[in-house]
Amino acid sequence: MSVQANDAPSASACFTVQRLVRFSDCDPAGMVFYPQYFVMLNGLVEDWFTQALGVNYAQFLGARRLGLPLARLQAEFKAPSRMGETIALQLRLARQGRRSLELDVACLGAGNDLRWQANVVIVTTSLDADASINIPQDVVEGIHRWQQSQGEP
Amino acid sequence: MSVQANDAPSASACFTVQRLVRFSDCDPAGMVFYPQYFVMLNGLVEDWFTQALGVNYAQFLGARRLGLPLARLQAEFKAPSRMGETIALQLRLARQGRRSLELDVACLGAGNDLRWQANVVIVTTSLDADASINIPQDVVEGIHRWQQSQGEP
Amino acid sequence: MSVQANDAPSASACFTVQRLVRFSDCDPAGMVFYPQYFVMLNGLVEDWFTQALGVNYAQFLGARRLGLPLARLQAEFKAPSRMGETIALQLRLARQGRRSLELDVACLGAGNDLRWQANVVIVTTSLDADASINIPQDVVEGIHRWQQSQGEP
Amino acid sequence: MSVQANDAPSASACFTVQRLVRFSDCDPAGMVFYPQYFVMLNGLVEDWFTQALGVNYAQFLGARRLGLPLARLQAEFKAPSRMGETIALQLRLARQGRRSLELDVACLGAGNDLRWQANVVIVTTSLDADASINIPQDVVEGIHRWQQSQGEP
C-alpha cells in the first residue's frame, strides 16, 4: 500500500502547514471528528497550490473552471488529536501522472508522533466538460520549481 | 483490496439509507464535498446501530462512554453527486473482529450507478480507558439478530 | 422583536420537519454546535420550497441560477439539544415582501419545549446579475397554495 | 439594536483575525455559506480568549469543564465573501455582565468594506452543573488587562 511510501523517500520535497485543533473540529468525545481531517487535507492542497506551486487555487476552481476531485483515498488513523493541540500536516508528491497527482499526507502531533497518514489521488478536470484533463502547464511548472527549491533532483 | 468485496457476497445482509443531497453538502462546483460523504457515512453507522442492531448509538457514545473511532479507511470515488439528487448509502459487514468491525459501504445514485465505495475498519473503545475493548455483547447480539433477519446463515 | 411573532398568530401556516440530533451535529460538550442549527435551518427552507411550495430548491439554486441569501438573522437560544434527541423545526412566514421573505423559525424538543427561535430575512437574488430580484412567480403562487391548504385566509 | 454600537466607540479595544476564505467555506454559489461564518466567529472568540485574554480556551472548555454557549445572536449580512478572498474578523466587547459577555463582531473585506456584522451574547456556564456561573476571575482579569493594553480607560 502506497501509504508506506511515506517512510522511504525522506529526501522528497515536503509542504507543511501547522494547524490549531479548534472546538469546531471536535466531536462529543473531544477529539477531531475524522471528516474534519479531510477538510484540513483539502485546505492543505489549497495552500500547497497557492503558496508552494504559485498556482492560485481559488482562480483554478473559480475563474478557470477546473476541478481537483478525489479519485482514491486511503487513510490510517493512529492516535486521536484533541482540542487545543497544534498539529502539523505534511504533503509529499508520491507520483505525478498525466491527469492525476498522488499525494502522501501525514499528520503529526507536537512531539512528531503520527496521528494519521493518507495517500490520495486527485484528478485534474474541466468543470464545463465534466471530464479529466491533462495537468495544466502552470501546475506542472509549479511542481518542478517547488521540487527544485526543496533540493529534489 | 477489500473494497471489491462489495461485488461478491450479494447474499450478505445490507443496511440502506436514502439521503437527499442538500445545498449544505455541496461545494462551489455544485457537487458533494467529499468530507461530507464521511459525515453521511458516520450517520449511516449511527442509524445501523440504532435501527438495525437495536443498540442506541447516542447512549453508546454518551452515557456508556464508548467510542467507535476509525482505524482505516479506503475509498474510491467514481462519479460526483449533485444537489437535489437522492442517493442511497449501503452498509455491509465485511468482517467481525474481536475489537473491530470492517464495513463495506457503497453509495449509489437513483439509477443504481456507483458514486463511491469505501471499506472502513472501526474499533470499539472505552473513552475513559482511552483503549480498545472487546465488541460489547449487545452489539455482538444485535449483529447476529440483524444477519439472521436478513437471511444470512 | 419579531421573534415574538411566533407566539401570536397560532392560526398561521406552519411547516414542520423532525430531525435526529446526530453525533456530527454535536460539540465537545455533547450539545448541538449552534452553527449546525443554521445548517438545519437551511435544510428546513430547502424542504419548505420543495415539499410545501412545490418549487424545486435544487433547480432554483442550480439550473435557474437564483439565490436565497440571508439579509438578517436574529436568534435566541433557550436550552441545549443533545445527541440522540429528536427535535422539531417549525417554519412560519412572518412577512412576504416584494424581494424578500421574513421567516419565524422555532426549534422544539420532544416535550414541545423551546430550544431556540429565530427570525430570518432571506432575499431572492439572481446569481448572474448579483442583485436582488422580485420573488419569482412560482414561489409567490406556491406560498399562496400552501397557505390556503393550511387554512389561512 | 446594539449592532449599531459598532459605529460609535471607535476607541474601544478591538481583537482582529485575518482569514482566507477557503473552498470548504463556500456553497454552490461560490460564496461563504453563512453557518460557516459562525464557525469562524467561534474561532474568533477562541483566539480572543487564548491570545488576547491569556485564558486557554481549550482548557476552559476541556479540563475546567466550563462552557460558553450563545444566548442571543443578531446578524446583518451586507455583501457576500468569495473563495480566495482574505477577510478580517473584528471583535469588540460591547458589555460585560456578571454572567455574560456581549460582543460586537464585524467582518470586513480587503477594502475594509463591511460583509456582515453581528451582536452576540455568550454566557459563562458550568458543564457539570448545567447552569450559568459568574464570569471566572481569570477571564475578568484578562479582559481588564486586554482593554488597558489597547488604551481603554
Side-chain angles (χ1 to χ4, degrees), chain A residues 47-144:
Chain A
D47 291 344
W48 180 56
F49 262 63
T50 303
Q51 296 172 23
L53 307 189
V55 177
N56 187 298
Y57 181 91
Q59 283 176 15
F60 193 89
L61 277 106
R64 294 170 65 180
R65 307 271 307 140
L66 303 174
L68 290 170
L70 235 66
R72 190 160 52 82
L73 165 62
Q74 301 181 337
E76 289 172 26
F77 303 90
K78 300 297 188 184
S81 302
R82 295 175 202 275
M83 176 168 55
E85 285 191 282
T86 295
I87 54 178
L89 295 157
Q90 299 183 332
L91 177 155
R92 285 185 176 83
L93 180 62
R95 203 183 58 83
Q96 178 176 342
R98 207 160 47 89
R99 297 167 172 244
S100 67
L101 298 168
E102 183 182 330
L103 309 175
D104 283 325
V105 175
C107 174
L108 306 174
N112 256 359
D113 52 311
L114 185 64
R115 299 296 168 81
W116 57 274
Q117 58 187 359
N119 174 268
V120 299
V121 176
I122 58 179
V123 180
T124 44
T125 62
S126 156
L127 292 185
D128 295 324
D130 199 11
S132 67
I133 56 167
N134 284 351
I135 299 174
Q137 194 55 27
D138 59 338
V139 175
V140 171
E141 289 167 9
I143 289 172
H144 186 69

Side-chain angles (χ1 to χ4, degrees), chain C residues 70-71 73-75 77 82 130, chain D residues 70-71 73-75 77 82 130:
Chain C
L70 235 66
L73 164 62
Q74 300 181 338
F77 303 90
R82 295 174 202 276
D130 198 10
Chain D
L70 235 67
L73 165 62
Q74 300 181 339
F77 303 90
R82 294 173 203 278
D130 199 11

Side-chain angles (χ1 to χ4, degrees), chain C residues 4 23 30 32 40 46 52 61 96 102 112 118 123 127-128 146:
Chain C
Q4 268 77 38
F23 184 76
V32 175
M40 297 179 194
E46 205 167 330
L61 277 105
Q96 178 177 341
E102 183 182 331
N112 255 0
V123 180
L127 292 185
D128 294 324
W146 171 65

Side-chain angles (χ1 to χ4, degrees), chain B residues 35-122:
Chain B
Q36 207 59 34
Y37 277 140
F38 299 119
V39 175
M40 296 180 196
L41 194 158
N42 202 80
L44 179 68
V45 172
E46 205 168 332
D47 291 344
W48 180 55
F49 262 63
T50 302
Q51 297 172 23
L53 308 189
V55 177
N56 187 299
Y57 181 92
Q59 283 175 15
F60 194 90
L61 278 106
R64 294 171 64 180
R65 307 273 307 142
L66 304 173
L68 290 170
L70 235 66
R72 190 160 51 82
L73 164 62
Q74 300 181 337
E76 290 173 24
F77 303 90
K78 300 298 189 183
S81 303
R82 294 172 204 278
M83 176 168 54
E85 284 191 282
T86 295
I87 55 178
L89 295 157
Q90 300 182 334
L91 178 155
R92 286 184 176 85
L93 180 62
R95 203 184 57 85
Q96 179 177 342
R98 206 162 46 90
R99 298 169 171 240
S100 67
L101 298 169
E102 183 181 332
L103 309 175
D104 283 325
V105 174
C107 174
L108 307 174
N112 255 359
D113 52 312
L114 185 64
R115 298 297 167 80
W116 57 274
Q117 58 187 0
N119 174 269
V120 299
V121 176
I122 57 179

Side-chain angles (χ1 to χ4, degrees), chain C:
Chain C
M1 190 164 103
S2 47
V3 169
Q4 268 77 38
N6 271 333
D7 305 329
S10 61
S12 69
C14 178
F15 179 74
T16 303
V17 165
Q18 303 276 339
R19 173 79 156 68
L20 176 67
V21 174
R22 293 188 174 279
F23 184 76
S24 57
D25 298 322
C26 293
D27 62 24
M31 303 166 189
V32 175
F33 183 47
Y34 79 89
Q36 207 58 34
Y37 277 140
F38 299 118
V39 175
M40 297 179 194
L41 194 159
N42 202 79
L44 179 69
V45 172
E46 205 167 330
D47 290 344
W48 180 55
F49 262 64
T50 302
Q51 296 172 23
L53 307 189
V55 178
N56 187 298
Y57 181 91
Q59 283 176 15
F60 194 89
L61 277 105
R64 295 170 66 180
R65 306 274 306 142
L66 303 174
L68 289 170
L70 235 66
R72 190 160 52 82
L73 164 62
Q74 300 181 338
E76 289 173 24
F77 303 90
K78 300 298 190 183
S81 303
R82 295 174 202 276
M83 176 168 55
E85 286 191 281
T86 295
I87 54 178
L89 294 157
Q90 300 182 333
L91 178 156
R92 286 185 175 83
L93 180 62
R95 202 182 60 81
Q96 178 177 341
R98 205 159 48 88
R99 297 168 171 241
S100 67
L101 297 169
E102 183 182 331
L103 308 175
D104 284 324
V105 174
C107 175
L108 307 174
N112 255 0
D113 53 310
L114 185 65
R115 298 297 167 80
W116 57 274
Q117 59 187 359
N119 173 269
V120 300
V121 176
I122 57 179
V123 180
T124 44
T125 62
S126 156
L127 292 185
D128 294 324
D130 198 10
S132 67
I133 55 166
N134 284 351
I135 298 174
Q137 193 55 27
D138 60 338
V139 175
V140 171
E141 287 167 10
I143 289 173
H144 187 67
R145 271 197 315 274
W146 171 65
Q147 286 176 325
Q148 290 203 314
S149 75
Q150 294 259 326
E152 269 196 33

